[in-house]
Amino acid sequence: MATSLIPFLFHKLILTSEGIQIVNARNNIHHLRWSEIGKYKEHEVLQIFKIYDKQSKLVYAVDFKAENFPLLSIQFRQRFAPIAVAVHEPQVIHENDLKEVLNSYPLPYRVDIAHTRREYDALLASAAPKCVVLLGGLHDIENHSISPRTLATSPAEIIALAATFDVSEWASAETIDNARRDLGNSLGRWPTDTPERSLSVHPSGMDAWLSGDTCAAVLPTTSSWSAPAYLPFADLDQCPAPYIHVALAKRWHEQFGAEIVAITSYTVEFKVGRPPTNRAACEQLAWEHLLYAPECLGEDAILDYAHSLKDTATWFFLWD
């Protein structure tokens, strides 16, 4: 399985005259000197730097502000000093820019800008019982507009297909056994004590988006599990078909009270009302997550990931 992006999504990158500091959410710092860096490349759409050391070990650093990319690229190439910090800065979206994007990339439902969490909460209240889903930024709106035209399948058709999809067969014992063999000896173990919570899993993109301006859609449905029918993905690596998103979201809503709160161009985030409470349910759910989005494990083994599901209120999935 490829190295996952998820553990690195919320790191901070600090460039110095000596090299790079990677600071994680616990403020632990990993130093990488310029002399140790073998190469790097940029993924501008996801705003991720992929940095390789001399041993070809992959280190990710993330900058959420797109405007920093040209500057940071120059600093990488020329190793500038003094310190430059790439941190998450609040996104700013102007009404006129949103109107311009929607004129070019129309969506068949209402889209608002939530400038603050309070505005988002007010939108939830005013739109009820309709479903409100965070979309991200303006580029996400463009992608959400293009995908339905690419797929040429209506939301009603996607929901109908989901109703015929057998999730139990899709996540059958045979399928899980095949996935287990693919993982080999890297299954991990079910912790016997209370382990330190891994940062590899369950980040909340929603918290980051609501620290600034973010776009939110009011969908013509009262069920969040049907949201992927209105906001389908197209042409993402290892990403299931839209009707599978819907079928799994409905299953997880019924079993665990999971509600979809955000669908960007590349991610889906759930808030979970009733997380699983026993090992068997956690392990089954972990395998379903792995089959749904292989990046979900991060750097964790499957049993460590399963254990983490016992007490988490957020599930975060990403496709590249």
Side-chain angles (χ1 to χ4, degrees), residues 124-144:
L124 289 177
S126 65
K130 291 184 178 179
C131 176
V132 176
V133 175
L134 294 181
L135 302 180
L138 297 178
H139 70 283
D140 295 293
I141 291 178
E142 295 176 8
N143 290 330
H144 284 315

Side-chain angles (χ1 to χ4, degrees), residues 4-291:
S4 172
L5 303 178
I6 288 179
F8 310 95
L9 280 177
F10 301 99
H11 283 192
K12 179 171 67 175
L13 166 65
I14 302 177
L15 308 181
T16 74
S17 58
E18 297 179 352
I20 303 173
Q21 295 178 5
I22 307 297
V23 185
N24 69 18
R26 292 196 181 97
N27 289 321
N28 296 325
I29 300 176
H30 173 72
H31 296 274
L32 194 63
R33 297 185 180 278
W34 290 117
S35 59
E36 298 171 335
I37 295 174
K39 59 181 179 177
Y40 74 92
K41 64 178 181 177
E42 302 163 44
H43 190 318
E44 293 190 9
V45 176
L46 290 179
Q47 300 177 207
I48 292 173
F49 281 111
K50 296 184 176 182
I51 305 168
Y52 301 82
D53 65 15
K54 292 292 188 180
Q55 286 71 45
S56 297
K57 180 180 177 182
L58 187 58
V59 180
Y60 291 96
V62 179
D63 171 30
F64 283 90
K65 186 178 179 184
E67 290 83 355
N68 285 340
F69 262 81
L71 175 61
L72 291 177
S73 299
I74 292 173
Q75 289 172 327
F76 265 120
R77 297 182 186 114
Q78 300 183 2
R79 302 177 184 179
F80 276 173
I83 293 174
V85 181
V87 298
H88 169 54
E89 297 190 16
Q91 179 176 237
V92 177
I93 302 174
H94 300 290
E95 293 287 349
N96 288 339
D97 293 333
L98 175 60
K99 291 178 181 178
E100 183 177 342
V101 168
L102 289 173
N103 284 335
S104 301
Y105 300 91
L107 291 174
Y109 37 77
R110 171 183 163 192
V111 177
D112 288 3
I113 301 173
H115 297 285
T116 64
R117 183 175 285 274
R118 180 175 293 181
E119 288 188 12
Y120 167 72
D121 291 337
L123 178 60
L124 289 177
S126 65
K130 291 184 178 179
C131 176
V132 176
V133 175
L134 294 181
L135 302 180
L138 297 178
H139 70 283
D140 295 293
I141 291 178
E142 295 176 8
N143 290 330
H144 284 315
S145 174
I146 293 170
S147 293
R149 296 199 296 271
T150 302
L151 294 169
T153 306
S154 71
E157 291 171 321
I158 293 172
I159 293 170
L161 283 171
T164 66
F165 181 69
D166 190 337
V167 177
S168 296
E169 182 179 350
W170 173 82
S172 66
E174 181 180 357
T175 303
I176 290 174
D177 284 342
N178 290 335
R180 184 180 287 109
R181 283 193 291 272
D182 289 342
L183 292 179
N185 296 324
S186 58
L187 297 179
R189 62 180 180 84
W190 185 264
T192 56
D193 53 6
T194 303
E196 182 180 12
R197 168 52 64 89
S198 171
L199 290 178
S200 300
V201 293
H202 319 308
S204 176
M206 185 178 182
D207 291 340
W209 297 316
L210 288 176
S211 68
D213 298 347
T214 189
C215 296
V218 180
L219 301 180
T221 178
T222 59
S223 303
S224 74
W225 54 260
S226 67
Y230 299 91
L231 299 165
F233 292 121
D235 196 27
L236 295 179
D237 186 37
Q238 297 182 306
C239 186
Y243 69 90
I244 297 179
H245 285 276
V246 172
L248 287 171
K250 184 177 182 181
R251 173 185 176 94
W252 295 336
H253 170 73
E254 293 171 349
Q255 292 182 338
F256 306 110
E259 301 284 354
I260 293 177
V261 295
I263 302 179
T264 71
S265 301
Y266 306 92
T267 68
V268 175
E269 183 167 341
F270 290 79
K271 293 301 179 185
V272 187
R274 303 184 305 275
T277 58
N278 61 70
R279 177 172 178 174
C282 288
E283 288 192 18
Q284 175 64 31
L285 181 61
W287 287 112
E288 291 178 11
H289 282 191
L290 177 66
L291 295 172

Side-chain angles (χ1 to χ4, degrees), residues 190 197 275-279 282 305-312:
W190 185 264
R197 168 52 64 89
T277 58
N278 61 70
R279 177 172 178 174
C282 288
Y305 178 85
H307 187 272
S308 75
L309 294 172
K310 286 182 67 176
D311 58 359
T312 183

